[in-house]
C-alpha cells in the first residue's frame, strides 16, 4: 500500500498533466471536492486526491485503498493503493472514438496546446516515470475486479446528508449474505457430527455458535442429528426464548420420539418467555403423531429448508452477532434504501392495499444495536411518516423526537414534538381519546421535559422556556397515575431552565 505515484504526480507538473490527459486523473480537480458531501458507512476517513472531467472523484481511504465515486451515485474501490489504481487506469485506458477519427482524418495537431500526441506514447512515458511494468490487460482486469469486490462491506459510500448508499460500480456476482453468515455454523455442525468433543463444549458455551449451528441444521437436516439437536436444545434454553430455541424444539419434535417430550416440556418451563414462546407443545404422555403434527405446523409456518427464503434482516442480525459489523450495517442500509425507493415493499401480503411498518421498526432496532443513530433516525422518520392512526403518529413521532435529541438535532426534535402536540389536539380519529390515562401520555410528557433540559444545556433559554410551557400543559392533562412518574423530571427541567434564564 503506497502512494509513491501520487507523490511523483504532485511533484512533477509534466507527469500530472499526463495523468490528467489522456488518463482523466486530474489532481487540480481535488480542490473542487465531490459533487455532494459524502462519507464512508464504516466511518473511516476519506482524502480527496483527484477528479475527472465527468464530475467523478478519487478518494484515498485509511488503509491506502483508492475509492472512485462518479457523479451519478455509484462508487467502488478501484485499487488497493494509489499506485495500483493508477497502474490499472493507465494500462486499461482506451482511445476515445473522436480522437481516433481525428487521427484518421489527419486533423490532430501535435503542437496545439492541450492536445496529446497519442495514448500509447503517453502510456509508455507515464508508466516509465512512475515505475510501472507493462502488464497484460487480462492481469490488470483481474486486479481491478479483485479491488472492486472489496468495496462491500468496508468501503460503501454514503450521501452524508441523506445517508443513502451509493450503488456499486460493478455488477460482479458476490456470495449471498446467508452464505457468509452460515459458513461457521456449517463448520461447527460438521464437527459435531464427527463427534469432536472439544467443539461440542465450545458450541455449548457460546450462544452465537449455538444459534448458527442450529441454523445450519435447519438447512441440512440429517437423520443422525437427533443427539446433537437434543444437546443444542437443552443448552439454547440458557438464552431464554430465541427463534433458534423454537427451531431446536421443532427439529427434535419432527422426529416424533415420545421419549423427547419430558425434555421439551422441561425446556418450555425454563422461563415465562419460553413457556409463552413454546405454547401449544404436547405435554409428556402425548402420542408421537401429536408431537410430529405440532412440530410440522411450526416448521411450515416459521422455518424452511432454503436459506435464501429467510428474511434478510434475520441474516443481518446473525452477522451483527458474529461481529461482522460492517456487513450487517451495509445490509441494513441497502434494505432501507430499497424501502425508501419503493414503499410497495411494505405491502402486507394479506391486505395488499395496506402497508406495514414492522420492517422499518426492525431496521430501527438493528441500527440502534449497531450504534448507528443516523440510519436508525432515517428509518424512524419514514416509519413515523407512514403511520395511519393518530395514536401511531403521536407515538412514532415522540420516539423520533427522542432520537433527534440524542443526535443533537434539537431544532428538529422541537418541530417533531410540535407535530406530536398537533396529533393530540386534532387527532382526526378516536384512537387518542384516552391518551391522558395511559403510558403514551407519560412518555410524551417525559420527552418534552428531556428536550427542555437539552435546550437549556445547549444555551437556548428562549426555546427551553417555550417548550417547558408546552410540557407543563401536557402534564396538567395527565391522570394522577400517569403524572406521578413525570413530576421529578419536570422539576429538574424547570430548575435547569431557571438556571440559564
Amino acid at each position: 500500500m503506497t502512494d509513491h505515484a501520487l507523490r511523483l504526480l504532485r511533484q512533477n507538473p509534466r507527469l500530472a498533466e499526463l495523468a490528467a490527459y489522456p488518463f482523466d486523473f486530474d489532481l487540480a480537480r481535488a480542490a473542487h471536492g465531490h459533487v455532494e458531501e459524502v462519507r464512508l458507512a464504516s466511518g473511516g476517513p476519506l482524502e480527496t486526491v483527484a477528479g475527472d472531467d465527468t464530475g467523478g472523484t478519487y478518494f484515498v481511504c485509511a488503509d491506502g485503498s483508492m475509492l472512485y465515486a462518479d457523479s451519478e451515485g455509484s462508487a467502488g474501490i478501484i485499487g488497493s493503493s494509489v499506485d495500483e489504481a493508477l497502474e490499472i487506469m493507465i494500462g486499461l485506458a482506451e482511445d476515445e472514438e473522436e480522437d481516433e477519427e481525428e487521427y484518421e482524418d489527419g486533423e490532430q495537431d501535435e503542437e496545439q496546446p492541450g492536445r496529446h500526441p497519442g495514448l500509447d506514447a503517453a502510456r509508455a512515458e507515464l508508466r516509465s516515470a512512475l515505475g510501472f511494468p507493462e502488464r497484460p490487460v487480462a492481469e490488470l482486469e483481474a486486479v481491478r475486479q479483485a479491488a472492486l469486490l472489496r468495496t462491500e462491506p468496508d468501503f460503501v459510500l454514503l450521501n452524508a446528508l441523506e445517508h443513502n448508499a451509493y450503488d456499486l460500480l460493478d455488477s460482479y456476482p458476490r456470495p449471498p449474505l446467508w452464505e457468509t453468515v452460515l459458513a461457521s455454523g456449517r463448520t461447527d455442525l460438521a464437527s459435531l457430527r464427527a463427534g469432536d468433543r472439544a467443539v461440542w463444549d465450545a458450541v455449548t458455551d457460546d450462544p452465537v455458535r449455538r444459534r448458527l449451528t442450529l441454523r445450519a441444521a435447519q438447512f441440512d437436516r440429517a437423520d443422525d442429528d437427533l443427539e446433537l439437536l437434543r444437546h443444542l436444545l437443552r443448552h439454547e434454553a440458557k438464552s431464554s426464548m430465541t427463534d433458534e430455541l423454537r427451531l431446536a424444539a421443532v427439529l427434535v419434535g419432527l422426529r416424533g420420539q415420545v421419549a423427547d417430550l419430558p425434555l421439551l416440556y422441561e425446556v418450555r418451563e425454563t422461563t415465562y418467555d419460553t413457556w409463552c414462546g413454546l405454547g401449544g407443545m404436547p405435554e409428556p404422555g402425548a402420542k408421537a403423531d401429536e408431537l410430529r403434527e405440532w412440530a410440522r405446523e411450526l416448521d411450515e409456518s416459521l422455518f424452511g429448508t432454503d436459506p435464501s427464503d429467510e428474511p434478510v434482516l434475520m441474516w443481518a442480525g446473525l452477522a451483527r452477532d458474529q461481529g461482522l459489523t460492517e456487513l450487517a450495517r451495509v445490509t441494513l442500509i441497502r434494505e432501507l434504501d430499497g424501502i425508501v425507493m419503493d414503499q410497495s415493499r411494505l405491502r402486507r401480503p394479506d391486505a395488499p392495499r395496506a402497508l406495514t411498518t414492522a420492517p422499518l421498526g426492525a431496521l430501527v432496532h438493528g441500527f440502534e444495536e449497531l450504534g448507528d443513530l443516523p440510519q436508525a433516525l432515517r428509518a424512524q422518520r419514514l416509519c413515523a411518516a407512514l403511520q395511519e392512526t393518530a395514536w401511531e403518529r403521536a407515538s412514532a413521532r415522540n420516539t423520533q423526537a427522542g432520537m433527534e435529541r440524542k443526535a443533537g438535532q434539537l431544532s428538529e426534535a422541537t418541530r417533531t414534538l410540535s407535530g406530536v402536540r398537533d396529533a393530540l389536539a386534532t387527532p382526526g380519529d378516536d384512537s387518542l381519546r384516552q391518551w391522558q390515562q395511559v403510558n403514551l401520555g407519560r412518555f410524551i410528557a417525559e420527552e418534552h421535559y428531556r428536550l427542555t433540559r437539552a435546550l437549556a444545556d445547549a444555551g437556548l433559554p428562549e426555546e427551553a422556556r417555550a417548550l417547558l410551557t408546552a410540557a407543563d400543559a401536557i402534564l396538567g392533562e395527565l391522570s394522577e397515575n400517569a403524572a406521578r412518574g413525570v413530576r421529578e423530571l419536570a422539576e429538574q427541567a424547570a430548575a435547569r431552565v431557571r438556571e440559564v434564564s
Side-chain angles (χ1 to χ4, degrees):
M1 305 298 178
T2 71
D3 61 357
H4 172 73
L6 184 59
R7 288 198 303 273
L8 290 178
L9 294 182
R10 286 170 169 170
Q11 294 167 3
N12 190 318
R14 167 61 179 168
L15 299 183
E17 180 183 353
L18 282 173
Y21 180 78
F23 300 108
D24 214 8
F25 184 83
D26 191 344
L27 297 178
R29 293 181 183 271
H32 303 295
H34 194 47
V35 293
E36 62 186 7
E37 188 178 350
V38 293
R39 66 178 180 88
L40 288 177
S42 59
L46 288 172
E47 178 190 1
T48 305
V49 295
D52 64 22
D53 61 7
T54 66
T57 308
Y58 297 93
F59 302 93
V60 176
C61 305
D63 71 339
S65 296
M66 180 171 280
L67 179 77
Y68 173 73
D70 66 24
S71 60
E72 302 299 320
S74 297
I77 294 295
I78 59 171
S80 62
S81 65
V82 177
D83 286 11
E84 183 177 275
L86 283 170
E87 185 179 3
I88 293 169
M89 292 164 61
I90 293 168
L92 297 182
E94 297 178 355
D95 282 304
E96 295 182 2
E97 290 182 3
E98 63 182 24
D99 288 338
E100 294 174 353
E101 292 172 0
E102 288 177 353
Y103 277 118
E104 291 172 2
D105 295 339
E107 297 176 1
Q108 178 75 8
D109 183 0
E110 296 184 3
E111 301 299 324
Q112 182 181 351
R115 304 294 297 185
H116 202 275
L119 178 64
D120 289 339
R123 192 192 326 267
E125 181 178 354
L126 197 53
R127 268 178 172 165
S128 176
L130 298 180
F132 295 155
E134 185 173 348
R135 301 169 69 181
V137 168
E139 183 178 340
L140 291 174
E141 289 176 340
V143 175
R144 179 176 62 180
Q145 178 177 342
L148 287 165
L149 288 172
R150 291 179 53 239
T151 304
E152 286 190 349
D154 295 317
F155 302 100
V156 172
L157 196 65
L158 304 182
N159 177 303
L161 298 179
E162 297 181 3
H163 308 296
N164 57 291
Y166 273 51
D167 294 330
L168 293 172
L169 278 175
D170 65 274
S171 57
Y172 294 123
R174 289 165 168 80
L177 173 63
W178 63 262
E179 187 173 301
T180 302
V181 172
L182 206 56
S184 63
R186 287 172 159 171
T187 299
D188 280 342
L189 179 61
S191 296
L192 291 177
R193 287 171 172 170
D196 188 331
R197 301 312 302 183
V199 174
W200 278 66
D201 294 338
V203 171
T204 294
D205 296 334
D206 189 323
V208 175
R209 292 180 70 175
R210 280 200 311 266
R211 294 173 63 198
L212 290 167
T213 303
L214 282 165
R215 288 296 176 181
Q218 174 186 348
F219 306 113
D220 182 9
R221 305 185 182 194
D223 293 337
D224 296 335
D225 283 349
L226 185 54
E227 181 183 356
L228 68 88
L229 290 172
R230 289 167 175 160
H231 179 78
L232 293 172
L233 171 64
R234 182 177 291 107
H235 290 280
E236 183 60 20
K238 297 176 183 178
S239 298
S240 189
M241 191 61 229
T242 65
D243 289 338
E244 285 73 26
L245 180 67
R246 186 180 289 110
L247 170 61
V250 165
L251 293 176
V252 169
L254 286 172
R255 269 63 176 188
Q257 299 290 327
V258 293
D260 288 320
L261 284 169
L263 170 61
L264 291 166
Y265 184 78
E266 176 187 342
V267 168
R268 190 188 72 174
E269 296 297 306
T270 303
T271 66
Y272 176 74
D273 288 338
T274 58
W275 184 83
C276 294
L278 295 174
M281 176 190 295
E283 298 191 6
K287 296 179 180 180
D289 288 345
E290 295 178 78
L291 178 57
R292 287 195 192 91
E293 183 61 23
W294 170 81
R296 188 179 299 112
E297 288 181 0
L298 280 180
D299 191 32
E300 292 176 353
S301 63
L302 299 177
F303 308 109
T305 56
D306 186 346
S308 63
D309 290 337
E310 297 296 322
V312 67
L313 289 175
M314 184 198 81
W315 294 120
L318 288 170
R320 179 197 66 223
D321 293 343
Q322 282 181 278
L324 302 174
T325 303
E326 294 312 315
L327 181 59
R329 188 196 314 278
V330 169
T331 298
L332 297 181
I333 291 173
R334 297 285 190 202
E335 188 72 9
L336 178 55
D337 287 350
I339 293 173
V340 170
M341 295 299 295
D342 182 10
Q343 293 178 14
S344 68
R345 295 173 60 171
L346 297 175
R347 286 177 179 164
R348 291 170 47 185
D350 59 333
R353 295 185 179 181
L355 300 181
T356 174
T357 57
L360 289 171
L363 285 168
V364 171
H365 177 72
F367 285 125
E368 288 179 330
E369 289 287 311
L370 292 169
D372 195 332
L373 185 54
Q375 294 291 351
L377 185 50
R378 183 162 76 109
Q380 182 62 34
R381 282 173 173 156
L382 179 57
C383 183
L386 295 177
Q387 300 300 331
E388 296 183 352
T389 70
W391 178 288
E392 292 167 340
R393 287 193 296 274
S395 178
R397 288 175 182 170
N398 194 62
T399 299
Q400 174 184 327
M403 296 171 69
E404 289 168 338
R405 170 178 54 80
K406 292 174 183 176
Q409 300 176 15
L410 303 185
S411 297
E412 291 86 344
T414 301
R415 287 195 295 270
T416 301
L417 283 186
S418 177
V420 173
R421 295 195 299 277
D422 288 344
L424 297 179
T426 56
D429 58 44
D430 63 355
S431 61
L432 284 171
R433 63 183 182 278
Q434 294 182 332
W435 68 268
Q436 302 92 337
Q437 284 79 43
V438 295
N439 281 337
L440 177 61
R442 177 168 67 87
F443 296 154
I444 291 173
E446 287 175 344
E447 185 51 45
H448 275 72
Y449 286 119
R450 290 192 180 100
L451 182 55
T452 295
R453 182 160 187 167
L455 290 167
D457 291 342
L460 299 169
E462 292 185 10
E463 291 85 345
R465 284 195 296 272
L467 191 60
L468 179 61
T469 299
D472 288 342
I474 292 173
L475 180 60
E477 292 194 57
L478 298 184
S479 67
E480 179 58 30
N481 286 338
R484 189 177 298 117
V486 184
R487 290 198 176 97
E488 182 177 355
L489 184 60
E491 292 170 1
Q492 293 172 352
R496 184 70 182 107
V497 171
R498 288 194 294 270
E499 289 175 3
V500 299
S501 297

